[in-house]
Amino acid sequence: MQLETLLVNCGQLLTMDHETVHAKGEQMGYLPHIQDGAIGWKDGIITFIGTSEEARSLDCPNMIDCQGKLVTPGLVDPHTHLVFGGSREHEIALKQQGVPYLEILRQGGGIHSTVEATRNASFEDLYEKAAFHLKRLVSYGITTVEAKSGYGLEKHAELKQLEVVKKLKEDTGMEIVSTFLGAHAIPKEYKENPDSFLSEMAGLFEEIKEKELAEFVDIFCEEGVFTIEQSKRFLQLAKEAGFSVKIHADEIVSLGGTELAIELGAASADHLIAASDGAVEMFGNSDTVAVLLPGTTFYLNKDSYAKAREIINGGGAVALATDFNPGSSPTENIQFIMNLAMLKLKMTCEEIWNAVTVNAAKAIHKDDVSGRLKIGRSADVVVWNAPNYQYVPYHYGVNHVHTVFQKGVEAAKGGAYLE
């Protein structure tokens, strides 16, 4: 067998190659792995997975000794707001005074501040900024990412964001999933008529589909934003237009967005901090993935976190994401999110690794290409400066990445993106 690159002496090689598409309930406590493993690829495609002993007979000009380090699939971030203008550090003082997020929004801050900056930004400026943040995401071990629009809230600015995502995908070759979140907030000019705004956003579905600018449609179902009824109508129209759907559900108030996501067969319901006990129980009989964003709760200085333990114990599937955005979770550090999941969501290390690989891939319909190491798949592989999988969520506040391989090519090393 001829290989281009072969990693040997992988202390723990987490293949994450479950027999099922993703891990639900008790299965999240199981990590498919190989002790003293080896993995090799040619032309960016994995062609060998086995033990280091089995790899000794292989012919490879580029054999890398991992010296007992942890090796895993590239991580998957299934919820980011990657493309936006400006930043919102000027809101820190308001947050420190305890001004609620929805109150900042009502005062014209929050999303509205970013909307103004995004509308005023050129395509080139948005592209450059998003590329910077994307490279940082990769440096933390992420090789597949979802990116939402939602900071335009009008036709041209929304399409501009989606075009940026499409060009990033073309230029980098990275697995980037695009989501249209035109219904992210009610713009000031539609404050008294949100239904007309939703009609305007739904009017973009045909163009977005024709230009292949997004795979998903999302909506912020929340008090003071969009109601259950509005969200249901909007997402049903999206499904009729051929999109898969997601929901920002029950983040602040328990409106029933989680139940709606499951009813509609959404790929994911995201946030879920205020989800009811009844809604949480529904995940066990659903393929909808619960995407939890503990970084948002942490940054907004809230006490209540999403009910990860109850979702998993009830047989549901949990994924984790950064929710990278300028207002409520300005971080690209998925490793810190893993630590928060351990401390605040009470997830085990095994559950956490499933949540950032196979389950995160399922949440964005990339389970056929991302989240696991398998012969025939792209060589999206991370070597960690860690002796085992427990060490990464245990030792917080630093970047544990040794090397990120993206489609078999070094993309980041020592925590830095390689230009």
Side-chain angles (χ1 to χ4, degrees):
M1 181 186 299
Q2 182 66 43
L3 297 169
E4 285 177 353
T5 301
L6 178 64
L7 309 185
V8 297
N9 298 328
C10 309
Q12 289 178 331
L13 176 64
L14 301 191
T15 65
M16 307 308 299
D17 193 16
H18 290 278
E19 294 181 1
T20 53
V21 170
H22 63 311
K24 296 185 67 176
E26 292 183 356
Q27 193 179 10
M28 286 190 67
Y30 171 61
L31 289 184
H33 70 282
I34 300 171
Q35 290 294 136
D36 191 20
I39 181 169
W41 54 84
K42 183 179 181 181
D43 298 327
I45 302 298
I46 298 171
T47 54
F48 173 81
I49 297 176
T51 65
S52 292
E53 180 67 28
E54 292 168 334
R56 286 183 179 177
S57 62
L58 299 178
D59 179 22
C60 182
N62 184 29
M63 186 175 295
I64 299 172
D65 186 350
C66 291
Q67 301 177 336
K69 292 180 172 62
L70 172 71
V71 177
T72 74
L75 305 189
V76 180
D77 191 341
H79 186 128
T80 80
H81 301 255
L82 182 64
V83 183
F84 58 88
S87 59
R88 302 225 294 266
E89 64 273 14
H90 54 279
E91 293 177 6
I92 291 175
L94 290 174
K95 292 176 180 176
Q96 289 176 322
Q97 293 166 27
V99 179
Y101 174 81
L102 291 179
E103 177 58 31
I104 293 175
L105 190 65
R106 280 190 285 269
Q107 293 178 15
I111 290 173
H112 295 308
S113 171
T114 302
V115 166
E116 183 177 358
T118 303
R119 288 179 177 180
N120 292 333
S122 67
F123 178 93
E124 291 73 21
D125 287 344
L126 289 177
Y127 178 90
E128 183 177 351
K129 184 175 176 60
F132 171 83
H133 294 299
L134 182 63
K135 291 172 183 178
R136 187 174 281 169
L137 286 162
V138 173
S139 76
Y140 281 104
I142 294 167
T143 57
T144 299
V145 65
E146 184 256 19
K148 303 179 190 292
S149 67
Y151 290 123
L153 304 187
E154 59 90 20
K155 176 180 178 179
H156 298 293
E158 284 295 318
L159 293 176
K160 180 170 61 173
Q161 290 170 85
L162 295 176
E163 293 280 8
V164 167
V165 175
K166 184 175 183 179
K167 183 163 176 56
L168 281 171
K169 185 175 181 178
E170 292 171 350
D171 291 351
T172 65
M174 186 174 175
E175 293 292 346
I176 304 177
V177 173
S178 182
T179 295
F180 174 50
L181 181 58
H184 194 191
I186 303 170
K188 298 174 185 177
E189 55 268 32
Y190 283 94
K191 187 176 181 181
E192 304 303 324
N193 198 357
D195 286 334
S196 292
F197 172 66
L198 287 179
S199 294
E200 181 180 323
M201 291 298 98
L204 295 178
F205 289 164
E206 184 177 349
E207 182 174 355
I208 291 170
K209 176 61 71 172
E210 182 181 332
K211 294 181 177 178
E212 298 182 338
L213 294 179
E215 296 97 306
F216 289 92
V217 170
D218 196 347
I219 190 169
F220 192 6
C221 180
E222 185 56 73
E223 184 178 86
V225 193
F226 300 107
T227 67
I228 290 291
E229 294 74 20
Q230 289 169 327
S231 300
K232 185 173 184 177
R233 287 197 302 270
F234 186 73
L235 293 179
Q236 283 177 329
L237 288 172
K239 291 183 70 173
E240 291 169 6
F243 294 96
S244 297
V245 298
K246 296 172 164 291
I247 302 183
H248 278 58
D250 299 327
E251 178 181 1
I252 302 169
V253 178
S254 182
L255 287 188
T258 305
E259 293 94 328
L260 177 61
I262 293 172
E263 175 191 340
L264 294 176
S268 69
D270 301 32
H271 283 294
L272 314 182
I273 299 159
S276 68
D277 292 340
V280 164
E281 292 175 1
M282 294 173 69
F283 282 105
N285 295 313
S286 169
D287 279 337
T288 297
V289 178
V291 175
L292 306 186
L293 314 165
T296 306
T297 306
F298 171 81
Y299 192 74
L300 294 178
N301 205 22
K302 301 285 188 178
D303 295 324
S304 297
Y305 283 78
K307 303 178 181 73
R309 203 52 288 128
E310 289 86 344
I311 295 171
I312 296 170
N313 290 346
V318 167
L320 294 167
T322 61
D323 190 21
F324 170 64
N325 74 78
S328 61
S329 188
T331 184
E332 301 93 336
N333 189 348
I334 189 71
Q335 296 169 45
F336 178 56
I337 302 304
M338 294 165 73
N339 175 258
L340 286 176
M342 179 184 70
L343 295 176
K344 300 297 186 179
L345 302 184
K346 310 304 180 186
M347 293 173 66
T348 67
C349 292
E350 293 82 2
E351 291 165 347
I352 289 166
W353 281 102
N354 276 297
V356 296
T357 54
V358 288
N359 286 2
K362 178 68 165 62
I364 54 174
H365 291 175
K366 282 294 181 181
D367 44 278
D368 59 335
V369 295
S370 301
R372 69 181 73 201
L373 301 177
K374 190 173 183 177
I375 290 175
R377 290 199 177 196
S378 291
D380 291 341
V381 182
V382 181
V383 182
W384 301 86
N385 284 315
N388 53 62
Y389 66 83
Q390 294 99 331
Y391 191 84
V392 176
Y394 148 77
H395 187 157
Y396 79 99
V398 300
N399 190 344
H400 294 285
V401 164
H402 180 279
T403 308
V404 177
F405 293 94
Q406 200 169 3
K407 292 181 170 57
V409 178
E410 286 190 2
K413 199 172 185 67
Y417 187 84
L418 298 176
E419 297 290 349

